[in-house]
Amino acid sequence: MQLTTRLLILFVCSHCVLAVEENWDSIDQRTVPEWYDKAKVGIFIHWGLFSVPGYSNEWVWHEWKSDKNADVVDFIEKNYPPGFTYQEFANQFTGEFFNATEWANLFQRAGAKYVVLTSKHHEGFTLWPSKYTYSFNSVDMGPHRDIVKEVGEAVREAGMRYGLYHSLLEWYHPQYIADQSEGTTEFVDNKIYPELIELVNTYKPDLIWSDGDWEMSDSYWKSTKFLAWLFNESPVKDTVLTNDRWGIGATCAHGDIHTCEDRYNPGYLLDHKWENAMTIDWNSWGYRRNSNIGEYATTKQLIDLLVETVSCGGNILINVGPTKEGHIDPIYQERLLGLGEWLSINGEAIYESSPWTEHQKDTITSGVWYTQRDGATYASVLSWPENNVLRLGAVSQLFNDATQVIILDSYQELVWFEEDGVVSIQFPDKATVYTNDVWVIKIK
């Protein structure tokens, strides 16, 4: 009887160890760590062999070999010797100016609370010495440095969370190509699944940002198996979260955060946490040597997107593309520092805020977006009001004799009056305020 009881206990325990089961219903019910929703602002880094030619975009290899993009083919033929292969870019991926501490300090000054580094893009080159890459990595080739480790240490030292982007597919890996034609899973079994385990165990990321999933099913990628391990057994099981790019049908449907599509910005409140992953260079995630000033988001545009995104319940992940030398160009620095300066004044309307479920934007004045925090409602005003008077149609129910209206720029109290459901707020003279792009008023 005692033996039977012990066997029964062992049997039951063996079935209750997994808090998250290997299916989407279970995974989608997981409690998401709070740090992510509070953070609001992240920095994305796309750095890899595509940074060496610095031409077209981060898909330059695919455009060259598969798409036969005439412009890209012509560029390669004119600037590289006959028979040149993409793998030879690794010798030119020098990273001599790469300084992880300088990167982290820039991102911290930009107001970021987390950083996501591209550990491996669709080209297959890893920024850590993975034993599954057969030396096609940044330690055995190129800069001969463990980029994932160095960035992670610097980011955490600067007080930010650290995430890793990882591409499931590799365009020209022979095992992946064979799997597609033969219906096998050799690529996942021998490369991707163990590679993900290695990445998590070695660097303990707070976020796994998956990509490159769209050609195959989540069952092919063994996504739910990996996620169950990540949430139950991994060293970051209590703090980590993931996005939704885990196979055909998973995007915008499963995962802790929905990224849906690049530069996703629905403009209204969703019932699931989401992220707007976007680029400062409108045309590329990777560095482009032939870019022009008009192809970059201005600081004003970054702030506008941030405000709209957070008001609708999302986080914003702002991408930069370093040069092959590991330098972040001044145009990226200028944009990020401008954003950070604005956040240093108006951040209380962003960090740890919640969307206002009644209205995400105003009903009569366009370009006014709302958030809430600690009992106060914040209105972010994207354009200076005509005649210095802001008219709001969505907030009359918040006003009574005790209501205060404060502009965060100078923290001075503003005069207001309400009539027929419209609240009119007297702004100060524009010459007396510090902020130049977006102004935030606090209603409490």
Side-chain angles (χ1 to χ4, degrees), residues 116-142:
V116 179
L117 172 69
T118 300
S119 68
K120 184 195 75 173
H121 201 253
H122 313 321
E123 63 191 15
F125 186 83
T126 67
L127 298 189
W128 83 96
S130 175
K131 61 185 179 182
Y132 302 102
T133 60
Y134 306 102
S135 295
F136 194 48
N137 63 69
S138 65
V139 173
D140 294 324
M141 306 178 78

Side-chain angles (χ1 to χ4, degrees), residues 46-54 86 93 286-287 289 321-324:
H46 271 69
W47 199 34
L49 298 193
F50 47 83
S51 308
V52 177
Y86 187 85
F93 186 56
Y287 174 70
R289 290 184 289 158
T323 69
K324 71 181 182 69

Side-chain angles (χ1 to χ4, degrees), residues 15-36:
H15 284 73
C16 65
V17 167
L18 293 182
V20 177
E21 299 175 1
E22 293 181 17
N23 61 74
W24 287 120
D25 285 342
S26 178
I27 291 168
D28 290 342
Q29 292 175 26
R30 174 178 180 261
T31 300
V32 179
E34 293 182 352
W35 72 261
Y36 178 81

Side-chain angles (χ1 to χ4, degrees), residues 341-394:
E341 183 178 359
W342 184 87
L343 281 166
S344 70
I345 296 172
N346 301 289
E348 69 175 90
I350 301 298
Y351 302 121
E352 301 188 24
S353 68
S354 300
W356 186 23
T357 56
E358 293 288 329
H359 297 279
Q360 286 74 65
K361 55 185 176 181
D362 195 61
T363 54
I364 63 171
T365 299
S366 62
V368 177
W369 295 82
Y370 295 107
T371 55
Q372 291 189 322
R373 177 181 171 180
D374 298 331
T377 300
Y378 297 85
S380 296
V381 184
L382 306 191
S383 300
W384 189 263
E386 186 177 355
N387 298 321
N388 294 353
V389 177
L390 177 65
R391 300 175 71 250
L392 301 177

Side-chain angles (χ1 to χ4, degrees), residues 45-66:
I45 309 168
H46 271 69
W47 199 34
L49 298 193
F50 47 83
S51 308
V52 177
Y55 192 79
S56 185
N57 57 56
E58 71 287 350
W59 278 53
V60 64
W61 190 11
H62 194 275
E63 292 187 340
W64 172 25
K65 289 300 183 182
S66 295

